[in-house]
Amino acid sequence: MIAKPIIELCRVVKETGGRALLVGGWVRDFARGVESVDYDIEVYGVQAAALRALLDRQGKVDAVGEAFTVYKVRLREGRKSFVADVSLPRRESKTGRGHRGFVVEGDPHMSFAEAARRRDFTINSMMYDPLLDEYIDVYGGREDLKRKTIRVVDPATFVEDSLRVLRAMQFAARFEFTIDPATVELCRSIDLSDLPA
């Protein structure tokens, strides 16, 4: 279920002394047995300039967030091509109102726990190493998938982005999951007036 160019990219990162992990929705879907081509990769242990040079050798790179090291890389597999989002682990600091009022900083030496902490829900906080066939699941996302439960990772960071309330409802409806009662209460406490109608 993993495209060969993704595996190759992970190998190249490993050869440079880093570690490339699939993250976010792709891992959630993979753990559910659902195929996805929406690849998000976080690269640990490689500085931004070295990562950019490495990616330039793998495919066409668009720096959509070079200031905080997010790259869209066009990869080819046979006649098919697809885009993978590749980034350094990031920390976000709230600076203004709304879901865009953040300063984002890439840090290749961030711990897995700190990187996963910025995610909205436990089911989206899992990481997967395709070279080792290993999940890194600091916040219990796999267990919540089994329970079909939507649960926040960190209440302190969750409330900083009002859009996450709508994401909770969307995931609950889309996957037919239940929202954890504490997450429901947290969602009810968040002012949604900064969201566009």
Side-chain angles (χ1 to χ4, degrees):
M1 287 176 54
I2 304 172
K4 288 178 185 173
I6 297 295
I7 300 288
E8 181 58 26
L9 176 59
C10 293
R11 278 198 189 104
V12 170
V13 168
K14 184 177 181 182
E15 287 167 6
T16 64
R19 189 171 185 192
L21 301 174
L22 288 151
V23 297
W26 187 93
V27 181
R28 177 198 65 227
D29 291 345
F30 183 70
R32 294 171 56 233
V34 175
E35 193 162 356
S36 174
V37 294
D38 186 20
Y39 294 103
D40 287 308
I41 300 169
E42 279 184 349
V43 176
Y44 293 78
V46 177
Q47 293 296 330
L51 175 60
R52 175 62 196 253
L54 180 153
L55 294 175
D56 281 333
R57 293 190 300 271
Q58 299 303 305
K60 183 179 183 303
V61 178
D62 289 323
V64 293
E66 191 140 28
F68 44 91
T69 57
V70 176
Y71 304 100
K72 290 198 173 290
V73 184
R74 182 161 298 281
L75 300 167
R76 296 195 63 80
E77 184 173 27
R79 293 180 182 206
K80 293 189 294 184
S81 72
F82 58 93
V83 174
D85 287 352
V86 181
S87 65
L88 293 180
R90 310 186 288 284
R91 79 176 42 84
E92 300 170 348
S93 303
K94 187 72 171 165
T95 58
R97 190 165 151 77
H99 66 278
R100 294 192 177 149
F102 290 90
V103 170
V104 182
E105 174 192 8
D107 179 357
H109 304 295
M110 188 179 293
S111 71
F112 298 142
E114 186 179 0
R117 182 176 165 260
R118 75 175 184 83
R119 301 278 175 183
D120 49 9
F121 306 107
T122 59
I123 62 170
N124 294 330
S125 71
M126 300 176 287
M127 304 172 185
Y128 179 75
D129 186 331
L131 301 180
L132 299 176
D133 187 27
E134 174 187 30
Y135 285 92
I136 299 166
D137 185 12
V138 179
Y139 297 102
R142 288 178 82 188
E143 194 56 42
D144 282 344
L145 276 178
K146 286 180 195 166
R147 290 195 302 250
K148 296 186 172 193
T149 299
I150 306 292
R151 184 170 53 93
V152 301
V153 172
D154 182 350
T157 58
F158 184 85
V159 299
E160 293 177 343
D161 185 352
S162 55
L163 188 60
R164 289 176 164 184
V165 174
L166 301 183
R167 284 174 57 84
M169 305 308 129
Q170 185 243 357
F171 285 134
R174 182 170 147 203
F175 301 136
E176 298 182 352
F177 282 15
T178 301
I179 302 175
D180 167 71
T183 299
V184 170
E185 288 308 309
L186 191 60
C187 287
R188 286 183 175 147
S189 74
I190 297 172
D191 177 14
L192 304 181
S193 64
D194 62 326
L195 294 174

